[in-house]
Amino acid sequence: MFKFLKLGVLKKGVQTKPYPQEPAVPYGAFIGLPVVDGAACDRCSHCVSACPVQAISLTEEGVEISTARCIFCGDCAEVCPKAIKMSREFELAATSKEDLRMVYRHG
Amino acid sequence: MDEETEKLGEELKRKVREVFGRSLAIREVDAGSCNGCEVEVNSLTNAIHDIERFGLHIVASPRHADMLLVTGPVTRNMELPLRQTYNATPCPKMVVAMGSCAISGGIYRGSYAVLDGVDKVLPVDVYIPGCPPRPQAIIQGILVALGKMEERKGQQS
Amino acid sequence: MTVEKLRLIVEELPPELHSKVRSAKIRGNDLRLVTGIDDLASLAKHIHGVYQAPLVTMHATDDRAAEDCFKLYVVLSPRGMDAFVTIIAALEPRSQRFVSLTPQINEADWYEREVQDMFGLEAIGHPDPRPLVLYDDWPQGEHPLRKDFPLDRRPPRIKGEYSFTKVEGEGVYEIPVGPVHAGVIEPGHFRFSVAGEPIINLEVRLGYVHKGIEKISESTPYWRGIHLAERISGDNSVAHSTAYCQTVEALASAEVPERAEYIRTVMLELERIYNLIGDISGIALDTAFSVGAANGYLLRERALNLNECLTGSRLLRSVNVIGGVRKDLSANDREKTLSALVRLKLEFEDLVDLMVTSTSLLDRVETTGKLSTEMAVRLNVVGPVARASGVDRDVRRDHPYAAYDRLNFLVPRGAAGDVNARTRVKIDEVRESFSLIDQALDGMPSGPIRTVVENIPAGEMAMSLVESPRGELVHWILAGRERPYRHKIRDASFCNWLAMEEAVLGNIVPDFPLINKSFNLSYSGNDL
């Protein structure tokens, strides 16, 4: 009985994180949504060919990343550290597939 | 504490209450995932994330469920069990596609043995991107799903 | 030394077998024997028996384009040597049949059924030729791993029915379970035949999560294949990707920087820790020992958070690249890891203390789900399951890779082979992992973490074994142009599923979830 108490509330306290009342901050090097800096992009399309799941495409407006396909591997940010950063954004749920298209405009 | 985020949490509780009385029963269906999403869904019930505090339960049978949380690209061999699970779930029901492969087939897209996403088989209400999504991303997805459910209820009445 | 021993294997062959060997070459630690298809079984049986060499993998290749035939590869690992024997046999031109090895080598059972499904080669004399992966609604004559089957072909469904083994007798009834289970686990079907309470037969039917991973890999360039390898079995990401990288590196004869090897070792052990703590907590949960389970899952969450902190992914994805690792461990990372592990260690010991002194838990786990040593050897069981049954095998020690040959560790072993023994072996392995990470972080040399790997010669073959948290897994690649020509993946679970069918016999149905948890097998890794 004493052991239960020792391991339980007395020792550990409340462990539950108050998400979503408080925003959650991912740990350390967390890889979240890839974000493109439109101004730094020179349309070389290296990111397009580096993506293992064809999630990136160059369109008229800018660079389009489909979070429907993205597997958050960070390959694009590795080939283009200048314009692509893996952000720490992870709250990406959407009700339609249209909302999963992230368009980063040029300029 | 940020006022806005506090409101968000309260909103979740309010929505759960409004739409499904006091709780929401979730049935997880693995339609061919790599087991990564299952690790994260299992994490939802541990002491740190503890989704039971919102009245969200992971239940053992689709017949008890309000929501199907589907992972995996839907393999050819899981298509029929997935449809049967959906049909066994009482109305009103929601389908949440969790993980990149449930949304589009992900890394397995285009293979002979997969159907490239849950929406090829079932109507999907909410998509949760991630490979796999963090437990908190799943909680956010459920919140989005509840908003959607309310809209639909309004339309029907 | 190894070369000498391998040469001795060829010399020691009895004359009637020696004359059947058409060529014998040694590449590194791999002895490659080419023989005729009719002599494959007897040669494999000889090496399997005389050198106590368990079957590492068995698979086919479609060489019809170049040589107008299919080929079979049987890889054996002689005991006590860090070496392998690969027996290669070509089928007769246009022939699609071979003599089954299963009557002689028991563990070849599922491998041959897989070859039947994926290549359409008939194993003559196989005791159980039912399909393994492809379902009855799969049309005849369509075999996905043949080269004339395009990756995106989705054949129409046909009508068909799978026949389960029937057990008959007075009072015998069947309980079908799955594929959608009550817990949050992967899909698979279990058919229990029960008389009263005890299970008298269990048939496991898998293949529900078959995604065609081998076929996808064969049309994916190497650099991209690594992402696929991480998603073969989601909770064994590092183990699979390390095996994949090591195979490709071996093909290109590339040397990985020493620092990268140490970082891989740390990641492999971090993966083992979160998996095994999860298994141990699962045992507590399935014995209704909620306090233990809640504490255990808390520890697992801590381990996952540490993973995220170091690599950016809770499941340790995007760690490996071909030629090294993607991200260096900074001094800061090292400090964080060490301090997190100190806390984790203390809390883990508390958890263990709580569990091993709980009589209600011990009552459930002792003598439950017994797997005897003989059976474990006969079925070629691997990993913690084998070690709990007294089999002394661990790839980290027997075929060292990464930095394991420079670190000290024990291979924990049990004897009883029940759920209790498996839990204890896993507890001891977590302790060893803690010590391995400490040693690896201490001994980590400075230097580059990545080397460029290019010019992977087509036609070469290479193989890599890695000890995943579930046991020994194998990646075998026959190189093609820029991508594998044939990529064979064998997860640890592929060996262990049949053992579970044995271990549950005589146990009551309510103990099945507990036994299943103590094996903790992967469905995705098995079905591919």
Side-chain angles (χ1 to χ4, degrees):
Chain A
M1 189 60 205
F2 175 69
K3 247 182 211 154
F4 285 147
L5 285 175
K6 194 178 91 178
L7 264 171
V9 190
L10 289 184
K11 192 166 173 185
K12 295 226 168 85
V14 176
Q15 295 287 328
T16 311
K17 282 193 190 151
Y19 182 86
Q21 287 95 325
E22 282 175 30
V25 183
Y27 290 88
F30 178 70
I31 303 175
L33 178 74
V35 176
V36 183
D37 175 2
C41 171
D42 49 15
R43 297 182 74 83
C44 64
S45 82
H46 283 173
C47 54
V48 177
S49 47
C51 181
V53 285
Q54 297 91 42
I56 310 177
S57 50
L58 292 179
T59 59
E60 293 278 304
E61 307 152 82
V63 184
E64 185 184 317
I65 297 184
S66 159
T67 51
R69 291 183 179 179
C70 182
I71 55 168
F72 305 88
C73 63
D75 273 7
C76 50
E78 206 178 279
V79 295
C80 185
K82 184 176 61 163
I84 305 182
K85 297 257 166 346
M86 301 308 283
S87 72
R88 293 155 71 84
E89 179 60 47
F90 65 89
E91 292 167 308
L92 303 169
T95 50
S96 80
K97 266 198 163 166
E98 197 52 33
D99 295 343
L100 297 174
R101 288 170 59 233
M102 306 281 161
V103 180
Y104 299 98
R105 283 170 209 289
H106 284 299
Chain B
M1 200 196 299
D2 192 336
E3 213 170 275
E4 200 176 314
T5 44
E6 192 181 1
K7 241 168 57 191
L8 201 70
E10 285 306 313
E11 207 183 335
L12 173 67
K13 276 189 196 160
R14 191 177 56 78
K15 279 182 175 159
V16 169
R17 268 199 300 273
E18 258 182 37
V19 183
F20 284 107
R22 277 160 196 272
S23 74
L24 179 77
I26 303 168
R27 171 68 268 195
E28 196 266 355
V29 184
D30 178 338
S33 88
C34 68
N35 203 21
C37 287
E38 277 63 45
V39 170
E40 298 298 43
V41 174
N42 273 321
S43 295
L44 283 178
T45 50
N46 68 20
I48 290 192
H49 300 295
D50 190 24
I51 55 164
E52 300 254 345
R53 70 200 145 116
F54 306 122
L56 306 175
H57 304 283
I58 293 178
V59 292
S61 165
R63 295 191 195 280
H64 308 155
D66 307 309
M67 175 193 280
L68 289 182
L69 186 60
V70 188
T71 63
V74 187
T75 57
R76 180 187 162 103
N77 294 343
M78 270 310 283
E79 186 192 351
L80 187 64
L82 180 61
R83 281 183 199 280
Q84 285 171 339
T85 309
Y86 182 75
N87 292 336
T89 312
C91 287
K93 54 192 162 191
M94 284 183 279
V95 177
V96 175
M98 170 188 163
S100 298
C101 50
I103 303 175
S104 67
I107 193 101
Y108 316 110
R109 189 159 48 91
S111 160
Y112 63 91
V114 305
L115 303 174
D116 295 346
V118 179
D119 54 4
K120 301 279 191 309
V121 183
L122 303 178
V124 175
D125 296 280
V126 170
Y127 301 91
I128 308 178
C131 192
R134 305 176 82 234
Q136 284 143 347
I138 308 172
I139 297 178
Q140 191 244 348
I142 295 169
L143 179 75
V144 172
L146 289 172
K148 170 125 181 174
M149 202 61 212
E150 207 171 40
E151 267 168 41
R152 193 190 285 178
K153 210 178 172 188
Q155 279 166 13
Q156 281 168 355
S157 57
Chain C
M1 185 60 192
T2 325
V3 177
E4 286 305 308
K5 279 185 182 167
L6 286 175
R7 205 166 281 151
L8 217 62
I9 291 181
V10 185
E11 281 165 20
E12 282 174 0
L13 283 175
E16 70 273 14
L17 281 176
H18 199 281
S19 62
K20 298 283 166 54
V21 175
R22 294 179 192 166
S23 93
K25 269 188 226 150
I26 297 174
R27 275 295 302 267
N29 62 349
D30 188 11
L31 169 65
R32 290 173 189 164
L33 301 173
V34 178
T35 183
I37 191 70
D38 297 328
D39 309 309
L40 176 67
S42 46
L43 191 60
K45 187 187 175 226
H46 171 80
I47 292 169
H48 181 264
V50 173
Y51 301 96
Q52 294 162 351
L55 187 63
V56 174
T57 164
M58 173 179 179
H59 51 267
T61 56
D62 178 1
D63 288 316
R64 285 177 301 165
E67 298 171 55
D68 199 24
C69 64
F70 291 94
K71 279 184 187 167
L72 280 178
Y73 293 76
V74 175
V75 184
L76 302 152
S77 156
R79 204 183 159 81
M81 288 185 218
D82 177 17
F84 303 96
V85 179
T86 307
I87 309 174
I88 307 165
L91 273 70
E92 297 298 324
R94 280 176 294 282
S95 155
Q96 298 185 6
R97 323 176 84 196
F98 64 97
V99 179
S100 169
L101 267 64
T102 310
Q104 270 123 30
I105 302 174
N106 191 53
E107 60 244 40
D109 188 346
W110 278 22
Y111 294 101
E112 288 187 339
R113 285 173 70 182
E114 192 184 50
V115 167
Q116 289 200 130
D117 280 4
M118 305 309 277
F119 286 91
L121 308 179
E122 190 191 346
I124 300 160
H126 193 287
D128 179 14
R130 288 175 299 171
L132 183 71
V133 190
L134 302 181
Y135 274 37
D136 324 286
D137 64 6
W138 187 271
Q140 291 266 317
E142 300 273 5
H143 301 290
L145 283 183
R146 288 190 176 188
K147 289 292 169 192
D148 51 9
F149 185 99
L151 174 64
D152 56 358
R153 169 134 105 220
R154 291 173 180 164
R157 289 176 193 271
I158 57 155
K159 256 191 153 31
E161 205 174 321
Y162 186 84
S163 60
F164 285 92
T165 315
K166 276 261 175 280
V167 178
E168 283 171 37
E170 203 184 324
V172 176
Y173 60 99
E174 281 188 345
I175 309 175
V177 178
V180 178
H181 294 280
V184 181
I185 55 166
E186 298 173 81
H189 182 90
F190 302 111
R191 187 67 64 99
F192 300 95
S193 299
V194 186
E197 277 269 39
I199 301 166
I200 53 173
N201 187 47
L202 164 65
E203 200 177 343
V204 180
R205 170 135 213 240
L206 299 171
Y208 288 95
V209 279
H210 175 68
K211 297 179 279 281
I213 289 177
E214 288 181 2
K215 186 79 180 177
I216 301 173
S217 180
E218 284 163 23
S219 47
T220 306
Y222 291 114
W223 64 268
R224 202 184 276 177
I226 183 97
H227 296 296
L228 186 66
E230 283 172 346
R231 287 160 181 83
I232 290 167
S233 176
D235 44 7
N236 288 187
S237 296
V238 190
H240 271 290
S241 61
T242 305
Y244 183 81
C245 289
Q246 286 177 353
T247 313
V248 177
E249 286 150 10
L251 283 171
S253 312
E255 285 280 330
V256 179
E258 207 181 349
R259 187 173 175 83
E261 292 190 327
Y262 273 84
I263 295 176
R264 277 183 185 171
T265 310
V266 172
M267 296 305 164
L268 283 161
E269 293 307 319
L270 282 174
E271 182 171 80
R272 199 179 319 279
I273 286 175
Y274 90 78
N275 267 288
L276 294 185
I277 292 182
D279 289 2
I280 295 162
S281 323
I283 300 277
L285 190 71
D286 282 355
T287 48
F289 187 49
S290 303
V291 180
N295 278 292
Y297 282 120
L298 200 62
L299 296 192
R300 189 176 76 148
E301 186 71 21
R302 296 247 165 85
L304 289 170
N305 289 342
L306 175 63
N307 294 347
E308 184 174 278
C309 192
L310 296 179
T311 67
S313 159
R314 284 161 57 92
L315 302 184
L316 296 169
R317 278 161 186 186
S318 297
V319 165
N320 279 315
V321 285
I322 292 164
V325 290
R326 193 186 288 257
K327 191 176 163 291
D328 202 356
L329 283 181
S330 63
N332 190 17
D333 287 336
R334 184 173 174 272
E335 290 311 311
K336 272 192 223 161
T337 315
L338 287 174
S339 64
L341 286 184
V342 167
R343 186 169 170 206
L344 205 56
K345 260 184 240 177
L346 285 173
E347 294 186 343
F348 181 70
E349 290 307 326
D350 277 351
L351 172 71
V352 171
D353 192 33
L354 185 68
M355 281 180 71
V356 298
T357 52
S358 158
T359 41
S360 65
L361 186 138
L362 290 178
D363 184 51
R364 283 290 301 279
V365 294
E366 276 174 349
T367 70
T368 305
K370 257 177 117 75
L371 183 72
S372 67
T373 314
E374 296 76 53
M375 197 44 95
V377 172
R378 205 170 94 84
L379 296 171
N380 186 26
V381 178
V382 297
V385 178
R387 292 193 281 275
S389 291
V391 180
D392 192 16
R393 253 175 93 184
D394 191 319
V395 185
R396 292 175 289 172
R397 182 199 57 201
D398 302 339
H399 306 284
Y401 55 94
Y404 285 110
D405 52 349
R406 280 147 275 172
L407 306 173
N408 290 316
F409 60 99
L410 294 171
V411 177
R413 222 164 15 127
D418 54 4
V419 176
N420 187 28
R422 286 191 278 277
T423 312
R424 303 240 174 184
V425 164
K426 285 178 179 178
I427 289 170
D428 287 339
E429 286 197 5
V430 173
R431 289 177 178 145
E432 289 299 323
S433 294
F434 284 136
S435 134
L436 275 166
I437 294 179
D438 283 345
Q439 291 178 46
L441 287 174
D442 274 344
M444 194 177 285
S446 55
I449 53 163
R450 200 167 164 174
T451 169
V452 180
V453 175
E454 49 196 3
N455 298 333
I456 295 154
E460 271 301 315
M461 56 178 137
M463 181 176 74
S464 172
L465 272 71
V466 164
E467 184 77 20
S468 76
R470 293 193 172 94
E472 163 196 308
L473 62 83
V474 184
H475 280 237
W476 184 98
I477 293 178
L478 176 64
R481 285 177 187 282
E482 306 286 312
R483 62 201 64 194
Y485 182 80
R486 174 84 176 93
H487 183 188
K488 167 71 192 163
I489 303 154
R490 198 220 70 200
D491 192 70
S493 310
F494 194 78
C495 298
N496 289 3
W497 272 110
L498 284 171
M500 199 175 68
E501 287 187 0
E502 290 296 328
V504 298
L505 297 182
N507 286 274
I508 56 173
V509 180
D511 273 343
F512 171 73
L514 184 59
I515 300 169
N516 194 6
K517 194 81 215 173
S518 75
F519 274 77
N520 187 29
L521 301 176
S522 163
Y523 301 65
S524 181
N526 178 77
D527 299 348
L528 295 175

